[in-house]
Amino acid sequence: MDIRVSGHQVDTGEALQTHANERLTAIIEKYFSRALSSHVTFGRAPAGAFRCDIIMHVMQNLVLKGTGVAHDAHVALDQAAEKIDKQLRRYKRRLKDRHEQAQHAMAVEDAAYEEAGYTIFEESASEREEETETDAPVVIAETRVDVPEATVSDAVMMLDLRNTTALFFKNAGTGRHNMVYRRGDGSIGWVEPH
């Protein structure tokens, strides 16, 4: 793993760089065989404290961030590294549970397909005429995004990691499109169409 240690108005000595390399390497080896890269930045915080920001690219589309503030640079590094460790532990646990959840969802989906009915509704001629008379709404903005395929718990994790308010995804268990979003009270909402 490529680990870069830099300082913003702070001198990063050999001991601090070695401590950062050892700590981050130990965290990655604990959960994964390797990671892509990490960037550790030290800076000054108010009241003479040190701030440590860690940005770790573990794999494609998985970026973790951790921040620590303390009066000693080594302690600030340890605080930020502990946050990264916690995020990786949660991610690894979710990956482990993913297999069991996918099998359960497939069993539920198979049962639902056996009970499902199939009906085709034909549009009447008057409805087709009404459609042509009304104007379509103006498209203000259009964005193209990749819709990830994930379990609900993985989608919630991506929502947290991407720091967004909503995430549209394809449910890996059911194959249907779902959405998770952050509600006003801080809890997570989940929309799954029937």
Side-chain angles (χ1 to χ4, degrees):
M1 172 174 63
D2 176 34
I3 300 174
R4 288 179 282 145
V5 180
S6 60
H8 183 68
Q9 298 178 347
V10 173
D11 182 31
T12 58
E14 186 66 32
L16 189 58
Q17 291 182 13
T18 302
H19 181 65
N21 281 320
E22 289 173 355
R23 183 70 197 265
L24 294 180
T25 302
I27 289 172
I28 285 300
E29 289 175 352
K30 188 173 167 183
Y31 299 106
F32 294 98
S33 58
R34 66 178 185 88
L36 298 176
S37 66
S38 294
H39 191 113
V40 181
T41 306
F42 291 95
R44 291 284 181 190
F50 291 95
R51 176 184 174 98
C52 177
D53 294 307
I54 300 175
I55 300 174
M56 183 179 288
H57 298 270
V58 179
M59 60 182 63
Q60 187 81 10
N61 297 327
L62 180 59
V63 178
L64 305 175
K65 297 178 182 180
T67 301
V69 177
H71 287 287
D72 181 49
H74 292 271
V75 176
L77 170 68
D78 289 337
Q79 288 176 356
E82 184 60 36
K83 291 176 183 175
I84 296 288
D85 189 298
K86 187 176 183 179
Q87 291 173 0
L88 280 173
R89 185 171 49 247
R90 286 181 180 167
Y91 180 73
K92 193 69 170 186
R93 187 181 319 126
R94 288 178 181 161
L95 285 179
K96 185 178 176 184
D97 294 341
R98 171 190 244 175
H99 182 69
E100 295 170 8
Q101 291 174 356
Q103 285 181 338
H104 176 69
M106 291 297 280
V108 169
E109 183 180 339
D110 290 343
Y113 278 138
E114 290 175 6
E115 297 175 5
Y118 186 68
T119 307
I120 298 175
F121 295 98
E122 187 174 324
E123 189 178 54
S124 68
S126 62
E127 289 174 341
R128 277 183 287 221
E129 289 175 8
E130 289 174 10
E131 260 182 40
T132 57
E133 292 174 7
T134 60
D135 291 333
V138 177
V139 176
I140 296 173
E142 180 180 327
T143 57
R144 294 177 184 255
V145 295
D146 292 329
V147 178
E149 183 170 344
T151 62
V152 176
S153 61
D154 288 344
V156 171
M157 181 182 55
M158 283 189 263
L159 180 77
D160 289 336
L161 292 175
R162 294 178 181 183
N163 198 19
T164 59
T165 55
L167 178 72
F168 186 71
F169 67 101
K170 184 176 181 182
N171 192 323
T174 63
R176 295 185 182 130
H177 287 90
N178 291 193
M179 185 177 77
V180 290
Y181 62 96
R182 187 166 311 281
R183 297 167 46 119
D185 61 359
S187 61
I188 302 292
W190 171 29
V191 178
E192 181 179 32
H194 292 288

